[in-house]
Amino acid sequence: VNLRRTARDERILLHYNGHGCPRPTSNGEIWVFNKNFTQYIPLSLHELHSWAGSPTIYVFDCPSAGEVINAFAQIRAHGSGDDDSAEHRPKEAQDDIILVACRANQILPQTPQLPADIFTSCLTTPIKMALTWFQLQNKHTRFLDVPTNLTELLDGQMNDRKTPTGELNWIFTAITDTIAWIELPKELFQRLFRQDLLLASLFRNFLLADRIMSQLNCNPQSYPDFPSTAKHPMWEVWDLALDCCVSQMLKMQKGEQKEYKPSNFFTEQLGAFELWLTFAGPNSPPPHQLPIVLQVLLSPSHRLRALALLARFLDMGDRFIDMALSVGIFPYVLKLLQSQQPDLRSILLFIWLKILASH
């Protein structure tokens, strides 16, 4: 209640770690400590969301967490009183975002080489978790003679794209955005990945949790419902980027390489996009590289080439302009229009006029 009072109309996040607790019940209850921390007592989810208000993100990391999804579905369906119309249903139940670690009939995986809270670790430290999983999956082949925990070799900050950590985070953002843009309806993608930075980050990390945990016979769920993307082919692209980064880190550890060299990932993706433009027609399916091109605009070294390719893409017609707008190009172009670089001005003006002419 105090958290909602402080946040007012802003989004708040509630995280429930139920490891070692009784499972959520089919009656829509979770278990929490009493005031003296001596025993568990049930807490109604209906009561919890009445305290939290709206908008709220719920994260439930516990066995049978899917019961929470079912409980909130009942809250949305029944509303308050006998009036079942949408306008009389609790607003917070309609606006909630819910992420849970598994289905109602599942328990959480227990693997000695992974954290006990795999779901939470994926949501909070995705790059470390992805690297841990990558090493575990390849321990008998690629990393047979590597005693080191690869996460200990990670260097740099998440927001510094010139370091291994920052570059991997940049690539991870591009790949997960691509998966979501391909698999989700346009409106849902805009809501989850373009309207709120915290929400976008959580759902990108949720994709990783889905990929890892589904291979451990555990299936994370969400509201709004999110299709499983655990076997999407873009994950193979991510594995390749991880492998290239790890190879450099191991060479640097052995003294065979002095400094980290930037990945070729974005250069290769721009090349693939240019190839698509060469052979594309008016009815061609959307290029998978489009969300990645958006990320490339953040890099000064690739920006001019990316804008030139984007201009060619928009010049193909209104259908392709709509694709670019759906992936979120508008704020990027708007910001770049303030650039003082003369070599960018003409291309940016062309792109801007194309968008205005179409809409």
Side-chain angles (χ1 to χ4, degrees), residues 40-61:
Y40 291 116
I41 57 175
L43 172 64
S44 165
L45 289 171
H46 193 288
E47 189 172 13
L48 178 63
H49 89 65
S50 69
W51 295 340
S54 175
T56 300
I57 304 172
Y58 295 93
V59 177
F60 289 88
D61 190 353

Side-chain angles (χ1 to χ4, degrees), residues 9-21:
D9 295 330
E10 296 296 320
R11 194 183 301 275
I12 64 173
L13 187 148
L14 295 179
H15 177 266
Y16 175 78
N17 190 323
H19 293 262
C21 299

Side-chain angles (χ1 to χ4, degrees), residues 50-199:
S50 69
W51 295 340
S54 175
T56 300
I57 304 172
Y58 295 93
V59 177
F60 289 88
D61 190 353
C62 59
S64 301
E67 292 286 7
V68 173
I69 297 283
N70 299 336
F72 273 95
Q74 293 180 8
I75 293 171
R76 290 191 302 273
H78 292 100
S80 53
D82 298 327
D83 194 330
D84 208 28
S85 60
E87 61 268 21
H88 287 86
R89 296 173 192 168
K91 185 178 185 300
E92 56 267 35
Q94 298 179 57
D95 293 341
D96 282 336
I97 301 292
I98 309 168
L99 303 176
V100 302
C102 60
R103 294 174 180 167
N105 61 346
Q106 291 180 329
I107 60 174
L108 298 179
Q110 295 181 341
T111 304
Q113 299 91 338
L114 295 175
D117 55 346
I118 299 175
F119 186 62
T120 297
S121 295
C122 287
L123 295 183
T124 55
T125 54
I127 303 304
K128 286 187 176 181
M129 197 62 204
L131 200 53
T132 300
W133 178 252
F134 183 69
Q135 183 174 10
L136 181 61
Q137 291 296 99
N138 297 278
K139 65 178 181 180
H140 297 303
T141 53
R142 180 75 170 78
F143 305 113
L144 183 62
D145 299 321
V146 179
T148 309
N149 184 339
L150 293 179
T151 59
E152 296 175 2
L153 301 181
L154 275 178
D155 184 33
Q157 300 297 318
M158 296 283 278
N159 58 358
D160 185 355
R161 294 193 292 270
K162 295 181 180 179
T163 65
T165 301
E167 187 175 59
L168 281 177
N169 184 59
W170 187 21
I171 296 172
F172 179 78
T173 299
I175 287 178
T176 48
D177 272 10
T178 300
I179 294 173
W181 184 67
I182 293 169
E183 297 296 328
L184 291 184
K186 186 184 301 183
E187 295 77 12
L188 189 57
F189 175 79
Q190 287 291 329
R191 179 188 174 192
L192 300 182
F193 286 83
R194 289 296 180 261
Q195 293 182 1
D196 185 308
L197 292 176
L198 169 63
L199 200 57

